[in-house]
Each structure stands twice: as C-alpha cells, then as structure tokens.
Amino acid sequence: MSDTIEKVKCLIIGSGPAGYTAAIYASRANMNPVLYQGEQPGGQLTTTNDVENFPGYPEGITGPEMMMQLQNQAERFGTDIRHGWVTKVDFSGEFHKVWINDEKEIHASTIIISTGASAKYLGLPSEQKYLKLGGGVSACAVCDGFFYRNQEVVIVGAGDSACEEAHYLSKLCKKVTMLVRRDEFRASKIMAERVKKTENIEILYNTETEEVLGDGQLVTGVKVFNNQTNEKHEIPATGFFVAIGHKPNTDIFKGQIDLDETGYIINAVPGTSKTNVEGVFVSGDAADHVYRQAITAAGTGCMAALDAERYLAAKDADFEVATSTYN
Ligand code: NDP
C-alpha cells in the first residue's frame, strides 16, 4: 500500500464512450478529472468493426478510431488519463476511497463510474479450457477473426452482436456456422437478414453447444445438439466464437452501491446519473441493460459530469487545489 494518498475532485473509472464523454464535460467545467482506463482501454468499442449509427459520422468510423478521437478530445481539455485498474472502493466516508492496482489510494470528492460491461461465455468446461489456452475460443471476431482466415468457424448467439460478428467472419473464413438456440433471431431484422443472405453462413436453429472439441491445444470442432429432437452431431471448426451478450463490470461495487439482481447499477433518481451514494454517479452500460449503445453511453457520460459538477457546486466545498497530496 502506498503511504501517499492522492486527493482528486473528480475520478472517472472506465474509458468507453461514457467515461471519455464525462471526461470532456468535467474537464471543460474545470473539475480536473482523473480517468483510469481499466483493463480494456477504449472499452467495448475497441472490439467493434464499423460504427455506422453514431451521429456525425456519415461514412461510419471504426470503433478503435472513434475511441482514439474521444481520448484525444478528453486530453485536449486536460483530462489526466492513466493506465490502471480499480481493485477496491470504499464509499462509506466523507471522501470516496478508491485503490488502483491494490496499491495507490485515491480520495475523490466525486466518482463517475463508467466501467461498462464484458462479454459472456457459455461456461462449458471445454469452452473455458480452450479459452484459457488461447486455442481457438473467442468473444471478439474483430480481434481474433484474422487468425481463422480461410478456415471454418462456429459462432453462438442470435442477437445483433452475433449477426455483426458472423458477417464479419464470413468475409474472412471459408464457412461460418451459426448456432441459434431458439427458432428465431433476437437481432434486428436488418442484421438478421444480412446474415441469412450471406452464402457462407449456415444457420442452425434450435441448436446448442454440448462441447468444444479439441486436440488438447487447439479447437478442432464443436459437438452440438438439437434441443427439439436431441439429435447430436459434430461440426469441424478451428474457431469457436461466443456472442451471447454481456455482464456489467460492477463486481467491485458490490456492497458499496445499490445494484440490481443482474449486477447493473441502479439509478437512485430516475432520469439522472445519481446512485444511492452521494457524489457517486454512473454512466454507460454499467447501468444500462436496455439501450447499450455508444451514443446512449456518451449521453449518460455527459449527464454524470453535469450531475457531479452540480453536486460539487452545491456542497460549496474548498476544491481549489484539484489534485493535491497529503500524508
Ligand atoms: P443480446 O442480449 O441482444 O443477444 C444475446 C443473444 O445470445 C440472444 O440471441 C440469446 O438467445 C443468445 N444467448 C444467450 N445466452 C445463450 C446461451 N447460453 N446459449 C446460446 N445462446 C445464448 O446481446 P447482443 O450482445 O447481441 O446485443 C446487446 C445490445 O447491443 C442489443 O441491444 C443490440 O441491439 C446492441 N447491438 C447493436 C449493434 C449495432 O447496432 N451495430 C451491434 C451489436 C449490439 P435468445 O435470443 O434465445 O435469448
């Protein structure tokens, strides 16, 4: 543990569209925000290919490019952007305490949580085995699809993410088999239609994964079953992609702020970014299981910064020195 505690006016946790938008607004309001990027700097959009629905980009933009632009914009106004991972929080006292990488301790007058959500996996032992081995299981086609060029892959899921990823993979791979557990897609019609029209994507409805097959190092296939007939068969594949949704990254806040039963942070005052703890605000997917879009995340990031600014103004505390240290 560090014996020097850093005191900040506004600490932003997370670096997706929510965190960076909060940072832009907080910087421009002279709150001297410090932003910790977390494990995946840039957040989920860094694993997205084309973003075509964010206003202001008529030709579209790649996710990583957009995140770099947001980061540059936050830096332009003075946000202190740092690498690091928040490992513990204590919101019980006057100052909100946060520990970075189990070492550095920060006391913040306001906190903006923008920790987003993470990809879910099926949880099968064989899936986890090859995921840990780096042997052919992935939750990100854009990150890993390249490794499976001209090969055959399987993807699980039937939402917009699964459709987007299956379509992306179809451009690289010889064949993509899509496992849909019901007899219909959850995805929007346009996304589902695009997949259905793609020649090298085969869709298997009512089909679930029994086991990811492999040679001990690498994936070699997938054993599936039809959940109506219980018929089983094996599909040869070198890659197994999972696109079945996300889990909010809120474990470190358990017991500190109110979460719903699935772990999403609860907005204490609907229509604001306020949590049940004074001075702690939330933005983006960590509190949103409905919209989950970059634009909504950015919008709530703006709300969180404005709410934090108003909270500080109302407290009328002495925050002249934004980033000072004391022992
Ligand atoms: P969703 O929750 O929308 O879809 C998850 C999919 O995975 C569902 O089809 C679900 O099946 C399936 N699934 C869940 N668990 C399992 C399991 N154990 N085995 C097999 N299948 C399973 O998540 P997404 O990540 O697709 O989308 C999240 C949000 O992001 C949505 O609002 C979506 O619209 C949005 N989005 C928008 C994009 C765009 O516009 N470009 C791109 C990507 C996402 P079932 O249907 O049976 O429940």
Side-chain angles (χ1 to χ4, degrees), residues 48 50-53 120-122 156-164 179-182 184-188 191 207-209 243-246 289-293:
T48 294
D50 290 327
V51 181
E52 293 178 331
N53 52 10
K120 281 186 192 166
Y121 289 90
L122 297 176
V156 183
D160 282 334
S161 298
C163 289
E164 193 177 69
L179 308 183
V180 175
R181 68 176 172 182
R182 290 184 295 139
E184 61 178 358
F185 277 85
R186 176 178 296 275
S188 54
M191 303 281 269
T207 302
E208 296 182 45
T209 310
I244 60 167
H246 294 82
H289 53 87
V290 179
Y291 301 104
R292 297 186 287 199
Q293 299 299 301

Side-chain angles (χ1 to χ4, degrees), residues 32 57 89 125 208 210:
N32 306 89
Y57 297 96
V89 301
E208 296 182 45
E210 182 158 302

